[in-house]
Amino acid sequence: MISVEVHFNLNRILLLAIGLWPYQKSKFSQLQIILCFCILTSSVVFQFTALITTKCTTDFTIKICSTAMFFSFYIINYNMFWINTHNVRNLLEQLQYTCNELKDENELAIIKKYGNYTKLCTAIVTLFAMCTIVLAILLPIWPQILSIVLHINESRIQNQVTQITTEYFVDQKKYFCLILLHINTVICIGATTLTATGTMLLGCAIHACGLFRIASYRMEQIMTIEILQDINLKNRTVICNKIFYAVEIHRKAMKFTNILIATFQGSLLLLIAIIVISLSLNIFAIYRNASLGNTEAVLLHFIFIFTFLLYSFVGNYIGEELCNHSNHIYSTTYNSRWYKAPLYAQKMILFILQRGSQVSDINIAGLFIPSLECFATLTKASMSYFTVLYSMQQ
């Protein structure tokens, strides 16, 4: 028997850290949720308040929006899981129920392999996020280190650290350490949120790929040479049962995938819009700061762009993998010795071939199909909007 929760051990730790693990609903976790959400929301509020106290030029507005949209990305991801906690739990229970029905050793090996893929991907993303968090935590002692090593004065270092423009309605220099603590806290919670929610969705999608792979494996086992050489009543029953089990696991995999997409499709559409707009604004911010020689701001916006592109690429890549695994059952069925099977079996297989001849796409609200082609389309759209902003400045 396979415990699906073991495959999500690291995800469980990350989600527990921000109070979003669906099996943990204590008063402490509810306090965690409120606290984390308020901290993330306050970061965006204090950035937009800068528009009140500062003259709103085009460059300044774009600067505020480019950073505020990035922190809004944290909030949307957090809220996406917060409001769907019950649905995430149902998804894990459905996946566990499906895995409990697997008896064949090869099928168990397949789902274990995809479970190991989940743990590996989660570990890599978590390691990357931890490096980012450590850099953010070390920021307060960088002035002393850099002043000694590179002979740079502390005031310049503080300007590098506070590239994110905020307005707390207090003396920025006097409360610099508290402001820096707030920004670092937001980055820590936000990076954990992106890692935890993103890898959880990724892990569910990887397990769906595993279920599709099991469906293809069952189709491969239908028309074995031994069965075809001796067509009798017993073998007829075996063939019918194997076809039924193959179709059944494929149906469950499709149902699991559809529920996964339907649960998060509203939030995913909003995230897609945020990514396109933010990429355009941050590319324009890089152009403006590069022309002004502000290297630190260029680095900050480059990090934002890299995060958006990585998130978008991984999401679209796993969407394409889901489609490929779903459609693989058609090629597996077509390449089998179905033409040597008895007529009654050929008629049953014909339904699978007719269903499989229709390309299966993972459709989000009928507007977006995750794939590498759509990733390129989103990138092109962002560059187009950047071109519009650039032409407006000329």
Side-chain angles (χ1 to χ4, degrees):
M1 179 178 174
I2 294 178
S3 176
V4 172
E5 190 172 335
V6 174
H7 299 166
F8 292 93
N9 268 340
L10 187 51
N11 307 82
R12 180 178 62 84
I13 295 172
L14 293 170
L15 289 171
L16 280 173
I18 54 178
L20 292 180
W21 180 243
Y23 293 94
Q24 186 72 23
K25 283 302 163 189
S26 62
K27 291 184 178 180
F28 177 74
S29 66
Q30 294 175 2
L31 179 62
Q32 273 184 296
I33 291 174
I34 296 173
L35 185 61
C36 290
F37 186 77
C38 289
I39 292 174
L40 292 176
T41 305
S42 65
S43 66
V44 177
V45 172
F46 287 132
Q47 288 182 66
F48 279 117
T49 51
L51 296 173
I52 301 174
T53 59
T54 307
K55 183 179 179 181
C56 296
T57 62
T58 303
D59 287 343
F60 184 76
T61 303
I62 291 177
K63 178 182 179 181
I64 294 296
C65 291
S66 61
T67 56
M69 293 287 277
F70 180 79
F71 288 95
S72 297
F73 198 69
Y74 288 158
I75 298 173
I76 296 171
N77 273 275
Y78 195 92
N79 189 60
M80 175 177 69
F81 258 66
W82 184 8
I83 63 178
N84 289 300
T85 303
H86 180 69
N87 292 328
V88 173
R89 181 173 179 173
N90 288 340
L91 280 170
L92 292 176
E93 291 177 349
Q94 181 181 336
L95 183 60
Q96 181 65 66
Y97 178 78
T98 303
C99 292
N100 290 342
E101 295 180 337
L102 302 178
K103 304 300 180 183
D104 187 277
E105 291 185 0
N106 292 325
E107 295 177 1
L108 292 173
I110 290 173
I111 203 66
K112 286 180 181 178
K113 181 177 73 172
Y114 282 85
N116 291 332
Y117 288 161
T118 298
K119 291 189 282 188
L120 178 61
C121 292
T122 304
I124 293 173
V125 175
T126 303
L127 181 61
F128 176 79
M130 287 176 61
C131 293
T132 305
I133 292 174
V134 169
L135 289 176
I137 293 175
L138 291 178
L139 282 176
I141 63 173
W142 278 11
Q144 290 78 11
I145 298 175
L146 293 180
S147 62
I148 296 172
V149 177
L150 301 178
H151 305 289
I152 302 175
N153 62 66
E154 186 171 336
S155 61
R156 183 184 169 190
I157 301 270
Q158 287 187 358
N159 289 332
Q160 294 176 6
V161 174
T162 56
Q163 286 295 327
I164 300 173
T165 304
T166 55
E167 178 55 70
Y168 293 85
F169 301 104
V170 296
D171 189 340
Q172 299 276 351
K173 293 182 179 180
K174 182 179 179 181
Y175 296 97
F176 173 77
C177 291
L178 291 178
I179 293 173
L180 188 59
L181 176 62
H182 178 254
I183 294 175
N184 287 342
T185 303
V186 171
I187 292 174
C188 291
I189 297 175
T192 305
T193 299
L194 283 184
T195 304
T197 58
T199 54
M200 193 68 190
L201 289 175
L202 181 63
C204 289
I206 290 175
H207 278 80
C209 289
L211 296 179
F212 284 126
R213 182 65 189 87
I214 291 174
S216 298
Y217 166 77
R218 288 184 177 181
M219 287 304 303
E220 292 171 356
Q221 301 303 307
I222 290 176
M223 298 302 162
T224 60
I225 297 176
E226 293 78 7
I227 294 178
L228 294 176
Q229 286 178 346
D230 184 19
I231 300 298
N232 52 39
L233 183 60
K234 180 180 179 180
N235 285 343
R236 288 185 178 184
T237 304
V238 170
I239 292 174
C240 290
N241 288 338
K242 286 188 173 184
I243 293 175
F244 170 77
Y245 291 136
V247 173
E248 180 68 9
I249 193 67
H250 186 263
R251 184 189 66 81
K252 289 181 178 179
M254 287 297 300
K255 180 182 178 181
F256 179 81
T257 305
N258 291 335
I259 293 176
L260 177 64
I261 296 298
T263 299
F264 298 102
Q265 64 180 358
S267 299
L268 290 175
L269 283 176
L270 185 57
L271 289 176
I272 292 169
I274 291 288
I275 287 174
V276 173
I277 297 172
S278 297
L279 281 175
S280 305
L281 294 175
N282 281 281
I283 293 172
F284 183 79
I286 285 181
Y287 160 74
R288 294 294 295 174
N289 286 285
S291 61
L292 297 173
N294 192 345
T295 307
E296 293 78 20
V298 169
L299 179 60
L300 175 69
H301 292 290
F302 178 79
I303 293 173
F304 291 168
I305 290 174
F306 180 78
T307 303
F308 284 128
L309 289 177
L310 180 63
Y311 193 97
S312 179
F313 175 80
V314 173
N316 282 280
Y317 178 79
I318 194 62
E320 182 158 307
E321 282 297 307
L322 273 172
C323 293
N324 292 339
H325 277 75
S326 177
N327 295 328
H328 184 257
I329 191 172
Y330 168 74
S331 59
T332 301
T333 306
Y334 186 79
N335 292 327
S336 67
R337 297 181 178 87
W338 58 270
Y339 48 86
K340 292 186 178 181
L343 184 59
Y344 68 91
Q346 292 186 24
K347 292 179 179 179
M348 294 178 66
I349 294 174
L350 183 60
F351 288 106
I352 300 176
L353 293 174
Q354 288 177 338
R355 171 65 181 86
S357 62
Q358 303 173 2
V359 178
S360 178
D361 291 322
I362 310 302
N363 199 306
I364 299 178
L367 299 174
F368 184 80
I369 301 175
S371 64
L372 294 180
E373 181 180 355
C374 288
F375 169 73
T377 301
L378 291 179
T379 307
K380 290 179 181 178
S382 301
M383 292 301 298
S384 299
Y385 294 136
F386 159 70
T387 305
V388 173
L389 290 174
Y390 175 78
S391 61
M392 290 173 62
Q393 293 296 306
Q394 301 303 312

